Amino acid sequence: NLFLDLDVNSDGVLTLKELTEGLADAEVDWAACGLDKTISLDRLWQSADEDADHKVTFEEFWRLVSKERSAAEVELAKVREIFELLDTRRDGKLDRGEIQRGLKNPAVDWEALGIDRGTYDRHLFISADTDGDNRISFEEFWVYVVKNAQRVSHEQAVAASKQVSLVDISNWGVQEVGDWIVEIGFPQYRTCFEANSFHGPKLLMLTMDKLPSMNIKNFDHMKEIMKALRRLKGQKEEQVETIDDYRTQKMYAPARRPVPEKDLRFGTATEFAIEQATIEGSYSKPTLVYETRF
């Protein structure tokens, strides 16, 4: 629209006079910006007229404007373009059907917005429709995209911090590993780790099945050490590392008291079944009373 406004004679190109006179009337306080209006407009013309043919085509003007746009403006324009592609009804709002079709449309670059194409449409729609009117305006769509980008950025930062911590742990020596086992509440096992020359990389590879060979055989202690190690590596505490861990749990976990089987009342299972059927049969049959008449 700006290009068309400046192109007074509508010939599809801008002259120096059209550009300078059109922008000279703009509400810009050149002095407050510390700029000379004439010099600034002259430099602007030189930047726009790339081929020095004394006229500026729309392509040259667009490249000039694009260079001056901020990153936020570029991102906003990209989101606007995708919103208009989704808005098949051209009413400035998105309904759930348009979101559903958009997620299946290969022409829509969801990845450019940081949104997984496999996102459930209902979740996306409810998250974006903040005013609950069952329609998504461009403003709501823009806010959703920004919040989603912030969430992804946060998750990436958390993952990066965990990776950095693993790098730090891999640089631990035997002393640092010993300090760690004391810190988590098992100073009695410090010598077990030191005697086996446990440094950082070796600690990161430790699994539960290795603990008994280090003379750590108390099952509750084994569980707590592995939980602490998983926390250190950013993993879930209850995660079982290997099949050997599972076998170790079976071997060292306190044995459960067996539940005694109930004795059958009448010998073998077959005899019990017969007796049970007889009892049930006797209760299910009505009792017949015969009355004698004289």
Side-chain angles (χ1 to χ4, degrees):
N1 291 339
L2 177 59
F3 182 86
L4 295 177
D5 292 340
L6 294 173
D7 185 17
V8 178
N9 60 5
S10 303
D11 61 351
V13 295
L14 301 180
T15 63
L16 175 60
K17 182 181 178 180
E18 287 175 326
L19 182 66
T20 54
E21 289 183 355
L23 293 180
D25 295 333
E27 296 180 0
V28 177
D29 191 345
W30 300 94
C33 297
L35 300 171
D36 180 272
K37 182 173 71 173
T38 303
I39 295 176
S40 299
L41 290 174
D42 185 59
R43 288 176 178 172
L44 182 65
W45 171 259
Q46 291 178 12
S47 298
D49 187 16
E50 297 173 349
D51 54 8
D53 63 350
H54 305 294
K55 58 187 177 183
V56 175
T57 64
F58 176 76
E59 289 76 13
E60 289 175 320
F61 184 77
W62 175 251
R63 284 194 291 270
L64 173 68
V65 173
S66 297
K67 284 191 289 188
E68 299 302 322
R69 290 194 304 173
S70 67
E73 289 173 321
V74 173
E75 186 67 21
L76 184 63
K78 180 172 64 178
V79 175
R80 169 67 76 177
E81 181 181 349
I82 291 177
F83 181 87
E84 292 176 352
L85 187 60
L86 293 170
D87 184 19
T88 54
R89 297 172 61 182
R90 299 291 181 266
D91 59 354
K93 299 268 189 172
L94 302 180
D95 58 30
R96 187 173 171 186
E98 288 171 319
I99 292 293
Q100 287 176 333
R101 292 188 294 274
L103 288 170
K104 298 176 182 178
N105 186 355
V108 179
D109 189 2
W110 291 99
E111 287 71 19
L113 302 181
I115 298 174
D116 185 357
R117 187 178 292 276
T119 301
Y120 183 36
D121 64 89
R122 183 172 182 273
H123 172 74
L124 191 158
F125 190 81
I126 292 175
S127 300
D129 181 25
T130 53
D131 61 5
D133 66 347
N134 291 320
R135 307 295 296 281
I136 299 175
S137 65
F138 175 73
E139 290 72 20
E140 289 175 318
F141 189 70
W142 166 248
V143 169
Y144 174 79
V145 170
V146 171
K147 287 185 176 180
N148 183 71
Q150 292 173 343
R151 178 187 60 79
V152 171
S153 178
H154 174 70
E155 291 176 353
Q156 290 174 343
V158 171
S161 66
K162 288 181 179 179
Q163 187 64 35
V164 170
S165 66
L166 291 179
V167 172
D168 292 340
I169 297 166
S170 66
N171 292 325
W172 282 5
V174 175
Q175 175 72 30
E176 287 82 2
V177 173
D179 293 341
W180 172 77
I181 198 69
V182 171
E183 182 182 332
I184 64 173
F186 298 102
Q188 68 271 34
Y189 297 133
R190 178 170 192 147
T191 54
C192 299
F193 281 83
E194 290 178 345
N196 287 277
S197 302
F198 260 83
H199 44 66
K202 194 172 181 179
L203 177 65
L204 293 174
M205 297 296 292
L206 178 65
T207 51
M208 184 184 281
D209 57 300
K210 301 296 189 297
L211 293 176
S213 63
M214 298 166 59
N215 204 30
I216 303 175
K217 299 181 180 180
N218 183 299
F219 182 66
D220 290 332
H221 293 180
M222 293 163 67
K223 285 199 304 182
E224 291 305 315
I225 290 172
M226 295 311 300
K227 282 184 180 180
L229 180 56
R230 285 191 280 275
R231 285 196 303 270
L232 191 66
K233 295 192 292 185
Q235 298 173 339
K236 294 181 180 179
E237 289 187 7
E238 303 301 330
Q239 179 178 332
V240 175
E241 301 263 341
T242 66
I243 189 62
D244 291 323
D245 286 351
Y246 175 75
R247 290 171 181 163
T248 305
Q249 291 190 35
K250 296 285 286 185
M251 184 180 302
Y252 288 93
R256 295 182 179 180
R257 295 177 59 185
V259 180
E261 295 183 3
K262 294 182 178 180
D263 296 330
L264 297 176
R265 287 178 292 172
F266 300 106
T268 66
T270 303
E271 293 171 338
F272 176 76
I274 294 172
E275 176 64 19
Q276 190 71 18
T278 302
I279 293 173
E280 291 174 356
S282 64
Y283 280 107
S284 62
K285 294 178 181 179
T287 303
L288 299 178
V289 177
Y290 294 95
E291 183 179 352
T292 305
R293 296 187 179 185
F294 299 95

